Amino acid sequence: MSKLIRWFAENHVAANLLMVAILVLGAFSVTGLKRNLFPVIEPGLFEITIPYRGGGPEEIEERILIPVEEAISDIRGIDRIISRAREGVGTFEIWTEIDLDASERQRVANEIKMRVDTINTFPPEADNPKVHQAAFRNRIISLAITGDVDEHTFLKLAQEIEQEVSRLSGVNVTQVSGTREPELAIEVSEFALRKYGLTFDDVA
């Protein structure tokens, strides 16, 4: 190394030519680099959704979550599994190892789907499992609406704003959050039930 440094010190023209060549190559390399303000990220996350009509969380855990976890836990490339049981549905988040390329992730997805499809112990009330790769979107802007109005007015105003924003050029997805799903309440008269010989379970 010392000989090389001494040679460049004695040959100034060669050193200057080498420096110019490095700068020119660097300039060409910069112009060829791919640049993206919001780069597309391929997430290593797969989701499984299994609706189970009428199933409570405990029953879903026993009859849905545990069989699926046992079926896929040893698949090569899976880093962790997060399962959740809610009223009427069981869901999974399956994270792959960070260093997997696209082909390996596809292999993991195919193996997950194949193993879940072979489970024959799901209850008859359960729908077919849905396996898909999670899609991540970049959030550009969030709008908050406040005011001294009732919840219905808030929801109507939010939906109007959502429709206006969705018409803007370059906007692909808009979503209203922080609101509750509308519910329908039905009250049944005990006198009417006795009159027609019905019970609350019959009405349900």
Side-chain angles (χ1 to χ4, degrees), residues 46-48 68 71-72 75 78 94 106-119 122 128-132:
F46 298 94
E47 295 177 337
I48 303 177
V68 172
I72 67 175
I75 294 178
I78 289 181
I94 304 169
Q106 187 60 49
R107 174 192 59 79
V108 172
N110 293 338
E111 195 162 351
I112 290 172
K113 189 175 188 315
M114 180 187 67
R115 294 199 183 187
V116 172
D117 288 343
T118 58
I119 298 175
F122 289 145
N128 293 329
K130 299 176 182 177
V131 182
H132 65 277

Side-chain angles (χ1 to χ4, degrees), residues 179-192:
T179 60
R180 294 183 295 180
E181 291 293 329
E183 293 183 354
L184 179 65
I186 300 176
E187 296 183 1
V188 181
S189 166
E190 291 188 31
F191 174 77

Side-chain angles (χ1 to χ4, degrees), residues 2-21:
S2 60
K3 292 181 179 179
L4 182 62
I5 295 174
R6 188 181 304 112
W7 187 87
F8 275 112
E10 295 172 354
N11 296 272
H12 304 291
V13 176
N16 291 334
L17 288 175
L18 178 61
M19 182 181 66
V20 171

Side-chain angles (χ1 to χ4, degrees), residues 80-199:
R80 66 185 184 274
I81 301 172
I82 302 174
S83 58
R84 297 183 178 90
R86 294 179 296 177
E87 195 73 28
V89 65
T91 60
F92 295 83
E93 291 181 3
I94 304 169
W95 294 86
T96 62
E97 296 174 358
I98 195 170
D99 58 345
L100 295 185
D101 57 22
S103 61
E104 279 293 293
R105 289 201 189 108
Q106 187 60 49
R107 174 192 59 79
V108 172
N110 293 338
E111 195 162 351
I112 290 172
K113 189 175 188 315
M114 180 187 67
R115 294 199 183 187
V116 172
D117 288 343
T118 58
I119 298 175
N120 56 12
T121 58
F122 289 145
E125 298 83 1
D127 292 345
N128 293 329
K130 299 176 182 177
V131 182
H132 65 277
Q133 185 171 3
F136 286 82
R137 297 186 177 94
N138 294 300
R139 178 178 295 180
I140 305 301
I141 189 172
S142 298
L143 299 176
I145 306 173
T146 61
D148 188 17
V149 295
D150 59 89
E151 187 174 352
H152 176 72
T153 303
F154 264 131
L155 178 59
K156 184 178 179 181
L157 179 58
Q159 290 173 340
E160 291 176 356
I161 294 175
E162 180 189 23
Q163 292 175 1
E164 291 293 329
V165 173
S166 64
R167 297 191 188 102
L168 297 177
S169 175
V171 176
N172 294 327
V173 178
T174 58
Q175 183 178 3
V176 176
S177 60
T179 60
R180 294 183 295 180
E181 291 293 329
E183 293 183 354
L184 179 65
I186 300 176
E187 296 183 1
V188 181
S189 166
E190 291 188 31
F191 174 77
L193 290 176
R194 288 195 297 268
K195 178 180 178 180
Y196 293 103
L198 298 172
T199 65

